[in-house]
mmCIF file of all heavy atoms in Angstrom:
data_model
loop_
_atom_site.group_PDB
_atom_site.id
_atom_site.type_symbol
_atom_site.label_atom_id
_atom_site.label_comp_id
_atom_site.label_asym_id
_atom_site.label_seq_id
_atom_site.Cartn_x
_atom_site.Cartn_y
_atom_site.Cartn_z
ATOM 1 N N GLU A 1 122.685 123.831 93.523
ATOM 2 C CA GLU A 1 122.798 124.840 94.568
ATOM 3 C C GLU A 1 122.218 124.309 95.870
ATOM 4 O O GLU A 1 121.144 123.705 95.892
ATOM 5 C CB GLU A 1 122.053 126.106 94.149
ATOM 6 C CG GLU A 1 122.237 127.280 95.097
ATOM 7 C CD GLU A 1 121.608 128.561 94.579
ATOM 8 O OE1 GLU A 1 121.201 128.596 93.403
ATOM 9 O OE2 GLU A 1 121.528 129.534 95.368
ATOM 10 N N GLY A 2 122.947 124.513 96.969
ATOM 11 C CA GLY A 2 122.483 124.051 98.270
ATOM 12 C C GLY A 2 122.447 122.536 98.405
ATOM 13 O O GLY A 2 121.633 122.006 99.169
ATOM 14 N N PHE A 3 123.357 121.850 97.714
ATOM 15 C CA PHE A 3 123.309 120.393 97.700
ATOM 16 C C PHE A 3 123.465 119.794 99.089
ATOM 17 O O PHE A 3 122.722 118.889 99.472
ATOM 18 C CB PHE A 3 124.388 119.851 96.766
ATOM 19 C CG PHE A 3 124.464 118.354 96.742
ATOM 20 C CD1 PHE A 3 123.472 117.609 96.110
ATOM 21 C CD2 PHE A 3 125.525 117.681 97.345
ATOM 22 C CE1 PHE A 3 123.532 116.219 96.092
ATOM 23 C CE2 PHE A 3 125.587 116.301 97.320
ATOM 24 C CZ PHE A 3 124.592 115.561 96.698
ATOM 25 N N ALA A 4 124.426 120.275 99.875
ATOM 26 C CA ALA A 4 124.666 119.710 101.206
ATOM 27 C C ALA A 4 123.434 119.865 102.093
ATOM 28 O O ALA A 4 123.067 118.948 102.835
ATOM 29 C CB ALA A 4 125.874 120.381 101.857
ATOM 30 N N ASP A 5 122.781 121.010 102.022
ATOM 31 C CA ASP A 5 121.567 121.226 102.822
ATOM 32 C C ASP A 5 120.446 120.292 102.373
ATOM 33 O O ASP A 5 119.688 119.776 103.201
ATOM 34 C CB ASP A 5 121.117 122.683 102.698
ATOM 35 C CG ASP A 5 122.055 123.653 103.393
ATOM 36 O OD1 ASP A 5 122.799 123.209 104.296
ATOM 37 O OD2 ASP A 5 122.055 124.843 103.026
ATOM 38 N N PHE A 6 120.350 120.069 101.062
ATOM 39 C CA PHE A 6 119.343 119.140 100.546
ATOM 40 C C PHE A 6 119.573 117.740 101.103
ATOM 41 O O PHE A 6 118.636 117.061 101.557
ATOM 42 C CB PHE A 6 119.371 119.108 99.023
ATOM 43 C CG PHE A 6 118.721 117.899 98.418
ATOM 44 C CD1 PHE A 6 117.337 117.778 98.383
ATOM 45 C CD2 PHE A 6 119.481 116.851 97.915
ATOM 46 C CE1 PHE A 6 116.733 116.646 97.852
ATOM 47 C CE2 PHE A 6 118.892 115.732 97.378
ATOM 48 C CZ PHE A 6 117.511 115.617 97.351
ATOM 49 N N VAL A 7 120.824 117.299 101.052
ATOM 50 C CA VAL A 7 121.140 115.957 101.538
ATOM 51 C C VAL A 7 120.807 115.846 103.021
ATOM 52 O O VAL A 7 120.153 114.880 103.463
ATOM 53 C CB VAL A 7 122.623 115.618 101.285
ATOM 54 C CG1 VAL A 7 123.023 114.330 102.000
ATOM 55 C CG2 VAL A 7 122.895 115.496 99.792
ATOM 56 N N LYS A 8 121.233 116.820 103.792
ATOM 57 C CA LYS A 8 120.986 116.747 105.239
ATOM 58 C C LYS A 8 119.502 116.754 105.558
ATOM 59 O O LYS A 8 119.036 116.020 106.448
ATOM 60 C CB LYS A 8 121.715 117.887 105.944
ATOM 61 C CG LYS A 8 123.224 117.704 106.017
ATOM 62 C CD LYS A 8 123.874 118.759 106.888
ATOM 63 C CE LYS A 8 125.350 118.435 107.129
ATOM 64 N NZ LYS A 8 126.004 119.412 108.026
ATOM 65 N N SER A 9 118.747 117.571 104.853
ATOM 66 C CA SER A 9 117.304 117.631 105.139
ATOM 67 C C SER A 9 116.611 116.311 104.801
ATOM 68 O O SER A 9 115.728 115.852 105.538
ATOM 69 C CB SER A 9 116.655 118.790 104.377
ATOM 70 O OG SER A 9 116.710 118.569 102.975
ATOM 71 N N ARG A 10 117.029 115.702 103.695
ATOM 72 C CA ARG A 10 116.401 114.436 103.315
ATOM 73 C C ARG A 10 116.686 113.337 104.331
ATOM 74 O O ARG A 10 115.779 112.584 104.725
ATOM 75 C CB ARG A 10 116.868 113.999 101.922
ATOM 76 C CG ARG A 10 116.308 112.645 101.514
ATOM 77 C CD ARG A 10 116.160 112.468 100.037
ATOM 78 N NE ARG A 10 115.550 111.200 99.712
ATOM 79 C CZ ARG A 10 114.251 110.920 99.805
ATOM 80 N NH1 ARG A 10 113.413 111.838 100.219
ATOM 81 N NH2 ARG A 10 113.778 109.727 99.490
ATOM 82 N N PHE A 11 117.929 113.239 104.780
ATOM 83 C CA PHE A 11 118.263 112.154 105.691
ATOM 84 C C PHE A 11 117.911 112.477 107.140
ATOM 85 O O PHE A 11 117.753 111.567 107.946
ATOM 86 C CB PHE A 11 119.731 111.765 105.486
ATOM 87 C CG PHE A 11 119.920 111.126 104.136
ATOM 88 C CD1 PHE A 11 120.312 111.884 103.040
ATOM 89 C CD2 PHE A 11 119.652 109.784 103.940
ATOM 90 C CE1 PHE A 11 120.444 111.300 101.788
ATOM 91 C CE2 PHE A 11 119.772 109.196 102.695
ATOM 92 C CZ PHE A 11 120.166 109.976 101.601
ATOM 93 N N ALA A 12 117.694 113.760 107.442
ATOM 94 C CA ALA A 12 117.106 114.135 108.717
ATOM 95 C C ALA A 12 115.644 113.697 108.767
ATOM 96 O O ALA A 12 115.129 113.272 109.817
ATOM 97 C CB ALA A 12 117.219 115.625 108.950
ATOM 98 N N ALA A 13 114.954 113.778 107.631
ATOM 99 C CA ALA A 13 113.556 113.345 107.570
ATOM 100 C C ALA A 13 113.437 111.845 107.820
ATOM 101 O O ALA A 13 112.520 111.384 108.509
ATOM 102 C CB ALA A 13 112.952 113.711 106.216
ATOM 103 N N TRP A 14 114.366 111.058 107.273
ATOM 104 C CA TRP A 14 114.356 109.627 107.544
ATOM 105 C C TRP A 14 114.585 109.364 109.034
ATOM 106 O O TRP A 14 113.952 108.480 109.621
ATOM 107 C CB TRP A 14 115.439 108.919 106.739
ATOM 108 C CG TRP A 14 115.126 108.643 105.305
ATOM 109 C CD1 TRP A 14 115.892 108.968 104.218
ATOM 110 C CD2 TRP A 14 113.991 107.942 104.777
ATOM 111 N NE1 TRP A 14 115.295 108.535 103.054
ATOM 112 C CE2 TRP A 14 114.138 107.902 103.374
ATOM 113 C CE3 TRP A 14 112.883 107.356 105.372
ATOM 114 C CZ2 TRP A 14 113.192 107.284 102.557
ATOM 115 C CZ3 TRP A 14 111.938 106.740 104.558
ATOM 116 C CH2 TRP A 14 112.100 106.716 103.163
ATOM 117 N N ALA A 15 115.489 110.136 109.653
ATOM 118 C CA ALA A 15 115.759 109.947 111.083
ATOM 119 C C ALA A 15 114.527 110.262 111.912
ATOM 120 O O ALA A 15 114.236 109.563 112.905
ATOM 121 C CB ALA A 15 116.930 110.829 111.508
ATOM 122 N N GLU A 16 113.786 111.285 111.501
ATOM 123 C CA GLU A 16 112.554 111.615 112.219
ATOM 124 C C GLU A 16 111.545 110.488 112.089
ATOM 125 O O GLU A 16 110.891 110.095 113.070
ATOM 126 C CB GLU A 16 111.971 112.927 111.663
ATOM 127 C CG GLU A 16 110.713 113.378 112.394
ATOM 128 C CD GLU A 16 110.174 114.697 111.865
ATOM 129 O OE1 GLU A 16 110.842 115.313 110.999
ATOM 130 O OE2 GLU A 16 109.091 115.105 112.301
ATOM 131 N N GLN A 17 111.406 109.947 110.884
ATOM 132 C CA GLN A 17 110.483 108.833 110.663
ATOM 133 C C GLN A 17 110.894 107.615 111.486
ATOM 134 O O GLN A 17 110.044 106.881 111.997
ATOM 135 C CB GLN A 17 110.428 108.456 109.184
ATOM 136 C CG GLN A 17 109.425 107.354 108.873
ATOM 137 C CD GLN A 17 109.279 107.109 107.381
ATOM 138 O OE1 GLN A 17 109.566 107.982 106.558
ATOM 139 N NE2 GLN A 17 108.826 105.927 107.016
ATOM 140 N N ALA A 18 112.201 107.410 111.625
ATOM 141 C CA ALA A 18 112.704 106.272 112.388
ATOM 142 C C ALA A 18 112.589 106.462 113.893
ATOM 143 O O ALA A 18 112.747 105.512 114.654
ATOM 144 C CB ALA A 18 114.162 106.012 112.021
ATOM 145 N N GLY A 19 112.336 107.713 114.336
ATOM 146 C CA GLY A 19 112.235 107.997 115.746
ATOM 147 C C GLY A 19 113.564 108.242 116.428
ATOM 148 O O GLY A 19 113.676 108.122 117.663
ATOM 149 N N PHE A 20 114.592 108.621 115.657
ATOM 150 C CA PHE A 20 115.917 108.845 116.230
ATOM 151 C C PHE A 20 116.032 110.208 116.906
ATOM 152 O O PHE A 20 116.977 110.444 117.658
ATOM 153 C CB PHE A 20 117.002 108.713 115.165
ATOM 154 C CG PHE A 20 117.183 107.312 114.645
ATOM 155 C CD1 PHE A 20 117.580 107.093 113.342
ATOM 156 C CD2 PHE A 20 116.970 106.215 115.459
ATOM 157 C CE1 PHE A 20 117.762 105.806 112.842
ATOM 158 C CE2 PHE A 20 117.141 104.923 114.984
ATOM 159 C CZ PHE A 20 117.536 104.719 113.675
ATOM 160 N N GLY A 21 115.135 111.131 116.600
ATOM 161 C CA GLY A 21 115.158 112.419 117.270
ATOM 162 C C GLY A 21 115.838 113.511 116.467
ATOM 163 O O GLY A 21 116.523 113.262 115.473
ATOM 164 N N GLU A 22 115.664 114.723 116.932
ATOM 165 C CA GLU A 22 116.221 115.901 116.262
ATOM 166 C C GLU A 22 117.742 115.869 116.278
ATOM 167 O O GLU A 22 118.375 115.412 117.229
ATOM 168 C CB GLU A 22 115.721 117.173 116.957
ATOM 169 C CG GLU A 22 116.088 118.456 116.253
ATOM 170 C CD GLU A 22 115.472 119.674 116.925
ATOM 171 O OE1 GLU A 22 114.655 119.487 117.845
ATOM 172 O OE2 GLU A 22 115.829 120.798 116.527
ATOM 173 N N GLY A 23 118.340 116.346 115.183
ATOM 174 C CA GLY A 23 119.787 116.370 115.083
ATOM 175 C C GLY A 23 120.401 115.074 114.597
ATOM 176 O O GLY A 23 121.631 114.955 114.558
ATOM 177 N N HIS A 24 119.567 114.118 114.218
ATOM 178 C CA HIS A 24 120.069 112.836 113.726
ATOM 179 C C HIS A 24 119.801 112.712 112.228
ATOM 180 O O HIS A 24 118.941 113.390 111.667
ATOM 181 C CB HIS A 24 119.413 111.671 114.467
ATOM 182 C CG HIS A 24 119.897 111.494 115.872
ATOM 183 N ND1 HIS A 24 120.741 110.468 116.257
ATOM 184 C CD2 HIS A 24 119.671 112.223 116.988
ATOM 185 C CE1 HIS A 24 121.004 110.558 117.534
ATOM 186 N NE2 HIS A 24 120.355 111.621 118.015
ATOM 187 N N TYR A 25 120.544 111.806 111.607
ATOM 188 C CA TYR A 25 120.384 111.493 110.183
ATOM 189 C C TYR A 25 120.303 109.984 110.043
ATOM 190 O O TYR A 25 120.946 109.232 110.792
ATOM 191 C CB TYR A 25 121.570 112.041 109.376
ATOM 192 C CG TYR A 25 121.759 113.525 109.538
ATOM 193 C CD1 TYR A 25 122.659 114.023 110.485
ATOM 194 C CD2 TYR A 25 121.041 114.432 108.776
ATOM 195 C CE1 TYR A 25 122.837 115.396 110.662
ATOM 196 C CE2 TYR A 25 121.210 115.802 108.930
ATOM 197 C CZ TYR A 25 122.100 116.275 109.875
ATOM 198 O OH TYR A 25 122.268 117.626 110.038
ATOM 199 N N ALA A 26 119.523 109.536 109.056
ATOM 200 C CA ALA A 26 119.332 108.095 108.896
ATOM 201 C C ALA A 26 119.225 107.715 107.422
ATOM 202 O O ALA A 26 118.807 108.523 106.584
ATOM 203 C CB ALA A 26 118.063 107.639 109.636
ATOM 204 N N GLU A 27 119.608 106.482 107.114
ATOM 205 C CA GLU A 27 119.350 105.865 105.820
ATOM 206 C C GLU A 27 118.310 104.779 106.015
ATOM 207 O O GLU A 27 118.275 104.119 107.070
ATOM 208 C CB GLU A 27 120.644 105.300 105.228
ATOM 209 C CG GLU A 27 121.607 106.385 104.800
ATOM 210 C CD GLU A 27 122.985 105.873 104.424
ATOM 211 O OE1 GLU A 27 123.339 104.729 104.789
ATOM 212 O OE2 GLU A 27 123.738 106.644 103.781
ATOM 213 N N ALA A 28 117.468 104.574 104.986
ATOM 214 C CA ALA A 28 116.320 103.685 105.111
ATOM 215 C C ALA A 28 116.436 102.523 104.129
ATOM 216 O O ALA A 28 116.862 102.692 102.984
ATOM 217 C CB ALA A 28 115.034 104.461 104.853
ATOM 218 N N PHE A 29 116.010 101.347 104.576
ATOM 219 C CA PHE A 29 116.065 100.145 103.761
ATOM 220 C C PHE A 29 114.842 99.282 104.004
ATOM 221 O O PHE A 29 114.223 99.350 105.067
ATOM 222 C CB PHE A 29 117.313 99.310 104.112
ATOM 223 C CG PHE A 29 118.603 100.057 104.060
ATOM 224 C CD1 PHE A 29 119.110 100.683 105.201
ATOM 225 C CD2 PHE A 29 119.319 100.149 102.875
ATOM 226 C CE1 PHE A 29 120.313 101.382 105.153
ATOM 227 C CE2 PHE A 29 120.513 100.847 102.819
ATOM 228 C CZ PHE A 29 121.009 101.466 103.961
ATOM 229 N N GLN A 30 114.513 98.460 103.033
ATOM 230 C CA GLN A 30 113.594 97.363 103.250
ATOM 231 C C GLN A 30 114.408 96.087 103.311
ATOM 232 O O GLN A 30 115.177 95.771 102.404
ATOM 233 C CB GLN A 30 112.556 97.259 102.124
ATOM 234 C CG GLN A 30 111.541 96.126 102.358
ATOM 235 C CD GLN A 30 110.430 96.108 101.324
ATOM 236 O OE1 GLN A 30 110.173 97.118 100.674
ATOM 237 N NE2 GLN A 30 109.795 94.979 101.176
ATOM 238 N N THR A 31 114.254 95.341 104.400
ATOM 239 C CA THR A 31 115.065 94.146 104.582
ATOM 240 C C THR A 31 114.349 92.913 104.046
ATOM 241 O O THR A 31 113.124 92.791 104.133
ATOM 242 C CB THR A 31 115.403 93.923 106.072
ATOM 243 O OG1 THR A 31 114.193 93.718 106.796
ATOM 244 C CG2 THR A 31 116.131 95.125 106.644
ATOM 245 N N VAL A 32 115.132 92.015 103.483
ATOM 246 C CA VAL A 32 114.608 90.779 102.930
ATOM 247 C C VAL A 32 115.475 89.629 103.458
ATOM 248 O O VAL A 32 116.677 89.584 103.211
ATOM 249 C CB VAL A 32 114.663 90.767 101.385
ATOM 250 C CG1 VAL A 32 114.098 89.452 100.830
ATOM 251 C CG2 VAL A 32 113.901 91.948 100.811
ATOM 252 N N THR A 33 114.860 88.739 104.238
ATOM 253 C CA THR A 33 115.564 87.567 104.723
ATOM 254 C C THR A 33 115.557 86.515 103.631
ATOM 255 O O THR A 33 114.505 86.170 103.093
ATOM 256 C CB THR A 33 114.911 87.030 106.005
ATOM 257 O OG1 THR A 33 114.945 88.042 107.013
ATOM 258 C CG2 THR A 33 115.644 85.794 106.507
ATOM 259 N N THR A 34 116.719 85.981 103.302
ATOM 260 C CA THR A 34 116.826 85.090 102.138
ATOM 261 C C THR A 34 117.331 83.701 102.490
ATOM 262 O O THR A 34 117.294 82.808 101.639
ATOM 263 C CB THR A 34 117.760 85.709 101.099
ATOM 264 O OG1 THR A 34 119.057 85.898 101.678
ATOM 265 C CG2 THR A 34 117.237 87.034 100.609
#
């Protein structure tokens, strides 16, 4: 129930952590140079 809202809230939180601002969505990664 409320799956779309859950997804949006989770990826909005990543955008906030990234500093993209309100109304944005983000995916997060740890990068490894190989």
Side-chain angles (χ1 to χ4, degrees):
E1 187 174 349
F3 177 72
D5 290 337
F6 161 75
V7 170
K8 287 188 171 183
S9 65
R10 176 152 184 78
F11 292 94
W14 280 128
E16 182 178 355
Q17 183 174 337
F20 292 149
E22 187 175 353
H24 286 254
Y25 303 95
E27 290 170 342
F29 307 92
Q30 182 174 340
T31 62
V32 180
T33 300
T34 60

